[in-house]
Coordinates of all heavy atoms in Angstrom, one line a residue:
I29 N 16.6 -0.1 -22.3 CA 15.9 -1.1 -23.0 C 16.7 -1.6 -24.2 O 16.4 -2.8 -24.6 CB 14.5 -0.6 -23.4 CG1 14.6 0.6 -24.3 CG2 13.6 -0.3 -22.2 CD1 13.3 1.1 -24.9
F30 N 17.6 -0.9 -24.7 CA 18.4 -1.3 -25.9 C 19.4 -2.3 -25.5 O 20.0 -2.9 -26.4 CB 19.0 -0.1 -26.6 CG 18.0 0.9 -27.0 CD1 18.0 2.2 -26.4 CD2 17.2 0.7 -28.1 CE1 17.1 3.1 -26.9 CE2 16.3 1.6 -28.5 CZ 16.2 2.8 -27.9
S31 N 19.6 -2.6 -24.2 CA 20.6 -3.6 -23.8 C 19.9 -5.0 -23.6 O 20.6 -5.9 -23.3 CB 21.3 -3.2 -22.5 OG 22.0 -2.0 -22.7
I32 N 18.6 -5.0 -23.8 CA 17.9 -6.3 -23.6 C 18.1 -7.2 -24.7 O 17.9 -6.9 -25.9 CB 16.4 -6.0 -23.4 CG1 16.1 -5.1 -22.2 CG2 15.6 -7.3 -23.3 CD1 14.7 -4.6 -22.0
Y33 N 18.5 -8.4 -24.4 CA 18.7 -9.5 -25.4 C 17.4 -10.2 -25.7 O 17.1 -10.6 -26.8 CB 19.7 -10.5 -24.9 CG 21.2 -10.0 -24.9 CD1 22.2 -10.8 -24.4 CD2 21.5 -8.8 -25.5 CE1 23.5 -10.3 -24.4 CE2 22.8 -8.4 -25.5 CZ 23.8 -9.1 -24.9 OH 25.1 -8.7 -24.9
A34 N 16.7 -10.5 -24.6 CA 15.4 -11.2 -24.7 C 14.5 -10.8 -23.6 O 14.9 -10.4 -22.5 CB 15.7 -12.7 -24.7
M35 N 13.2 -11.0 -23.8 CA 12.2 -10.8 -22.7 C 11.4 -12.1 -22.6 O 11.3 -12.9 -23.5 CB 11.4 -9.6 -23.0 CG 12.2 -8.3 -23.0 SD 11.2 -6.8 -23.1 CE 10.5 -6.8 -21.4
G36 N 10.7 -12.2 -21.5 CA 9.9 -13.4 -21.3 C 9.0 -13.2 -20.1 O 9.0 -12.2 -19.4
W37 N 8.1 -14.2 -20.0 CA 7.2 -14.3 -18.9 C 7.5 -15.6 -18.1 O 7.6 -16.6 -18.7 CB 5.7 -14.3 -19.4 CG 5.3 -13.0 -19.9 CD1 5.3 -12.5 -21.1 CD2 4.7 -11.9 -19.1 NE1 4.8 -11.2 -21.2 CE2 4.4 -10.9 -19.9 CE3 4.4 -11.8 -17.7 CZ2 3.8 -9.7 -19.5 CZ3 3.8 -10.6 -17.3 CH2 3.5 -9.6 -18.1
Y38 N 7.5 -15.4 -16.8 CA 7.6 -16.5 -15.9 C 6.5 -16.5 -14.9 O 5.8 -15.5 -14.8 CB 8.9 -16.4 -15.1 CG 10.2 -16.7 -16.0 CD1 10.6 -15.7 -16.9 CD2 10.9 -17.8 -15.9 CE1 11.7 -15.9 -17.7 CE2 12.1 -18.0 -16.6 CZ 12.4 -17.0 -17.5 OH 13.6 -17.2 -18.3
R39 N 6.2 -17.6 -14.2 CA 5.2 -17.6 -13.2 C 5.6 -18.4 -12.0 O 6.4 -19.3 -12.1 CB 3.9 -18.1 -13.8 CG 3.9 -19.6 -14.2 CD 2.6 -20.0 -15.0 NE 2.6 -21.4 -15.3 CZ 1.7 -22.0 -16.1 NH1 0.7 -21.2 -16.6 NH2 1.7 -23.3 -16.3
Q40 N 5.0 -18.1 -10.9 CA 5.2 -18.9 -9.7 C 3.9 -19.1 -8.9 O 3.3 -18.1 -8.5 CB 6.3 -18.2 -8.8 CG 6.7 -18.9 -7.6 CD 7.9 -18.3 -6.9 OE1 8.2 -17.2 -7.1 NE2 8.6 -19.2 -6.2
A41 N 3.5 -20.3 -8.7 CA 2.4 -20.6 -8.0 C 2.8 -20.9 -6.5 O 4.0 -21.2 -6.2 CB 1.7 -21.9 -8.5
P42 N 1.9 -20.7 -5.6 CA 2.2 -20.9 -4.2 C 2.8 -22.3 -3.9 O 2.2 -23.3 -4.4 CB 0.9 -20.8 -3.4 CG 0.1 -19.9 -4.3 CD 0.5 -20.3 -5.7
G43 N 3.9 -22.4 -3.2 CA 4.6 -23.6 -2.9 C 5.3 -24.2 -4.1 O 5.8 -25.4 -3.9
K44 N 5.4 -23.6 -5.2 CA 6.1 -24.1 -6.3 C 7.3 -23.2 -6.8 O 7.3 -22.0 -6.4 CB 5.2 -24.3 -7.5 CG 4.1 -25.3 -7.3 CD 3.2 -25.5 -8.5 CE 2.2 -26.5 -8.3 NZ 1.3 -26.7 -9.5
Q45 N 8.2 -23.7 -7.5 CA 9.3 -22.9 -8.0 C 8.8 -22.0 -9.2 O 7.9 -22.4 -9.9 CB 10.4 -23.8 -8.5 CG 11.1 -24.6 -7.3 CD 12.3 -25.4 -7.8 OE1 12.4 -25.7 -9.0 NE2 13.2 -25.8 -6.9
R46 N 9.5 -20.9 -9.4 CA 9.3 -20.1 -10.6 C 9.6 -20.9 -11.8 O 10.6 -21.5 -11.9 CB 10.0 -18.8 -10.5 CG 9.7 -17.8 -11.6 CD 10.5 -16.5 -11.4 NE 10.1 -15.9 -10.1 CZ 10.6 -14.7 -9.7 NH1 11.4 -14.0 -10.5 NH2 10.3 -14.2 -8.5
E47 N 8.8 -20.8 -12.8 CA 9.0 -21.5 -14.1 C 8.8 -20.6 -15.3 O 8.0 -19.7 -15.2 CB 8.0 -22.7 -14.2 CG 6.5 -22.3 -14.2 CD 5.6 -23.5 -14.4 OE1 6.1 -24.6 -14.6 OE2 4.4 -23.3 -14.4
L48 N 9.5 -21.0 -16.3 CA 9.4 -20.3 -17.6 C 8.0 -20.5 -18.2 O 7.5 -21.6 -18.2 CB 10.5 -20.7 -18.5 CG 10.5 -20.0 -19.9 CD1 12.0 -19.8 -20.4 CD2 9.7 -20.8 -20.9
V49 N 7.4 -19.5 -18.7 CA 6.2 -19.6 -19.5 C 6.4 -19.4 -21.0 O 6.1 -20.2 -21.8 CB 5.1 -18.6 -19.0 CG1 3.9 -18.6 -19.9 CG2 4.8 -18.8 -17.5
A50 N 7.1 -18.3 -21.3 CA 7.4 -18.0 -22.7 C 8.5 -17.0 -22.8 O 8.6 -16.1 -21.9 CB 6.2 -17.5 -23.4
T51 N 9.3 -17.1 -23.8 CA 10.4 -16.1 -24.0 C 10.3 -15.6 -25.5 O 9.9 -16.4 -26.4 CB 11.8 -16.6 -23.7 OG1 12.1 -17.8 -24.5 CG2 11.9 -17.0 -22.2
I52 N 10.8 -14.4 -25.7 CA 10.9 -13.9 -27.1 C 12.2 -13.1 -27.2 O 12.4 -12.0 -26.7 CB 9.7 -13.0 -27.4 CG1 9.8 -12.5 -28.9 CG2 9.5 -11.9 -26.4 CD1 8.5 -12.0 -29.4
P53 N 13.2 -13.7 -27.9 CA 14.5 -13.1 -28.1 C 14.4 -11.9 -29.0 O 13.3 -11.7 -29.6 CB 15.4 -14.2 -28.6 CG 14.7 -15.4 -28.3 CD 13.3 -15.1 -28.3
S54 N 15.5 -11.2 -29.2 CA 15.5 -10.0 -30.0 C 15.2 -10.3 -31.5 O 14.6 -9.5 -32.2 CB 16.8 -9.3 -29.9 OG 17.9 -10.1 -30.3
G55 N 15.5 -11.6 -31.9 CA 15.3 -12.0 -33.2 C 13.8 -12.3 -33.5 O 13.4 -12.6 -34.6
G56 N 13.0 -12.4 -32.4 CA 11.6 -12.6 -32.6 C 11.2 -14.1 -32.5 O 10.0 -14.4 -32.5
R57 N 12.1 -15.0 -32.4 CA 11.7 -16.4 -32.2 C 11.3 -16.7 -30.8 O 11.8 -16.1 -29.8 CB 12.9 -17.3 -32.5 CG 13.5 -17.1 -33.9 CD 14.8 -17.9 -34.2 NE 14.4 -19.3 -34.4 CZ 15.4 -20.2 -34.7 NH1 16.6 -19.9 -34.8 NH2 15.0 -21.5 -34.9
T58 N 10.2 -17.5 -30.7 CA 9.6 -17.7 -29.4 C 9.8 -19.1 -28.9 O 10.1 -20.0 -29.6 CB 8.1 -17.4 -29.5 OG1 7.5 -18.3 -30.5 CG2 7.8 -16.0 -29.9
N59 N 9.7 -19.2 -27.5 CA 9.8 -20.4 -26.8 C 8.7 -20.5 -25.8 O 8.5 -19.5 -25.1 CB 11.2 -20.6 -26.2 CG 11.4 -21.9 -25.5 OD1 11.1 -22.9 -26.0 ND2 11.9 -21.8 -24.2
Y60 N 8.1 -21.6 -25.7 CA 7.0 -21.8 -24.7 C 7.2 -23.1 -23.9 O 7.7 -24.1 -24.4 CB 5.7 -21.9 -25.5 CG 5.3 -20.7 -26.3 CD1 5.6 -20.6 -27.6 CD2 4.5 -19.7 -25.7 CE1 5.2 -19.5 -28.3 CE2 4.1 -18.6 -26.4 CZ 4.5 -18.5 -27.7 OH 4.1 -17.4 -28.4
A61 N 6.7 -23.0 -22.7 CA 6.6 -24.2 -21.9 C 5.6 -25.1 -22.5 O 4.6 -24.7 -23.0 CB 6.2 -23.8 -20.4
D62 N 5.8 -26.4 -22.3 CA 4.9 -27.4 -22.9 C 3.5 -27.2 -22.4 O 2.5 -27.5 -23.1 CB 5.4 -28.8 -22.6 CG 6.6 -29.2 -23.4 OD1 6.9 -28.5 -24.5 OD2 7.3 -30.1 -23.1
S63 N 3.4 -26.8 -21.1 CA 2.1 -26.7 -20.5 C 1.2 -25.6 -21.0 O 0.0 -25.6 -20.9 CB 2.2 -26.5 -19.0 OG 3.0 -25.3 -18.7
V64 N 1.8 -24.6 -21.7 CA 1.0 -23.5 -22.3 C 1.1 -23.4 -23.8 O 0.4 -22.6 -24.4 CB 1.5 -22.2 -21.7 CG1 1.6 -22.2 -20.2 CG2 2.9 -21.8 -22.2
K65 N 1.9 -24.3 -24.4 CA 2.0 -24.2 -25.9 C 0.7 -24.5 -26.6 O 0.0 -25.4 -26.2 CB 3.1 -25.3 -26.3 CG 3.6 -25.0 -27.7 CD 4.8 -25.9 -28.0 CE 5.5 -25.5 -29.3 NZ 6.8 -26.3 -29.5
G66 N 0.4 -23.6 -27.5 CA -0.9 -23.7 -28.2 C -2.0 -22.9 -27.5 O -3.0 -22.7 -28.2
R67 N -1.8 -22.5 -26.3 CA -2.8 -21.7 -25.6 C -2.3 -20.2 -25.4 O -3.1 -19.3 -25.4 CB -3.1 -22.3 -24.3 CG -3.7 -23.7 -24.4 CD -4.2 -24.2 -23.0 NE -3.1 -24.3 -22.0 CZ -3.1 -23.6 -20.9 NH1 -4.1 -22.8 -20.5 NH2 -2.1 -23.8 -20.1
F68 N -1.0 -20.1 -25.1 CA -0.5 -18.7 -24.8 C 0.3 -18.3 -26.0 O 0.9 -19.0 -26.8 CB 0.5 -18.8 -23.6 CG -0.2 -19.0 -22.3 CD1 -1.6 -19.4 -22.2 CD2 0.5 -18.9 -21.1 CE1 -2.2 -19.6 -21.0 CE2 -0.1 -19.1 -19.9 CZ -1.5 -19.5 -19.9
T69 N 0.4 -16.9 -26.2 CA 1.1 -16.3 -27.3 C 1.9 -15.1 -26.7 O 1.3 -14.2 -26.1 CB 0.3 -15.9 -28.4 OG1 -0.5 -17.0 -29.0 CG2 1.1 -15.3 -29.6
I70 N 3.2 -15.1 -26.9 CA 4.0 -14.0 -26.5 C 4.3 -13.1 -27.7 O 4.5 -13.6 -28.8 CB 5.3 -14.4 -25.8 CG1 6.0 -13.2 -25.2 CG2 6.2 -15.2 -26.7 CD1 7.2 -13.6 -24.3
S71 N 4.2 -11.8 -27.5 CA 4.4 -10.9 -28.7 C 5.1 -9.6 -28.2 O 5.0 -9.3 -27.0 CB 3.1 -10.6 -29.4 OG 2.2 -10.0 -28.5
R72 N 5.7 -8.9 -29.1 CA 6.3 -7.6 -28.9 C 5.4 -6.5 -29.5 O 4.9 -6.7 -30.6 CB 7.7 -7.5 -29.4 CG 8.7 -8.5 -28.8 CD 10.0 -8.5 -29.6 NE 10.6 -7.2 -29.6 CZ 11.6 -6.9 -28.7 NH1 12.0 -7.8 -27.8 NH2 12.1 -5.7 -28.7
D73 N 5.2 -5.4 -28.8 CA 4.5 -4.3 -29.2 C 5.5 -3.1 -29.2 O 5.6 -2.4 -28.2 CB 3.3 -4.0 -28.4 CG 2.4 -3.0 -29.0 OD1 2.8 -2.2 -29.9 OD2 1.2 -2.9 -28.7
N74 N 6.2 -2.9 -30.3 CA 7.3 -1.9 -30.3 C 6.9 -0.5 -30.1 O 7.5 0.3 -29.4 CB 8.2 -2.1 -31.5 CG 9.0 -3.3 -31.6 OD1 9.4 -3.8 -30.5 ND2 9.1 -3.9 -32.8
P75 N 5.8 -0.1 -30.7 CA 5.3 1.3 -30.5 C 5.1 1.7 -29.1 O 5.3 2.8 -28.7 CB 4.1 1.4 -31.4 CG 4.2 0.4 -32.4 CD 5.0 -0.7 -31.8

């Protein structure tokens, strides 16, 4: 796990390509797909 640069969530609906939902790099800055921005929140739970 210490080799991980970033983690994220992706999703794939039937008949569609896999798409990014949200990512959270090691620095803690987040990125969201426009379709979920304001509704979804990605977070780290280190313990």
Side-chain angles (χ1 to χ4, degrees):
I29 58 176
F30 300 111
S31 299
I32 298 175
Y33 289 172
M35 299 190 69
W37 286 94
Y38 293 71
R39 67 187 182 187
Q40 186 168 22
K44 296 183 179 180
Q45 295 182 340
R46 186 176 299 183
E47 64 177 354
L48 180 147
V49 177
T51 60
I52 182 166
S54 59
R57 305 176 73 179
T58 57
N59 181 50
Y60 297 92
D62 289 340
S63 59
V64 307
K65 199 168 188 177
R67 300 187 297 120
F68 291 10
T69 303
I70 188 171
S71 61
R72 297 170 64 94
D73 191 338
N74 291 326

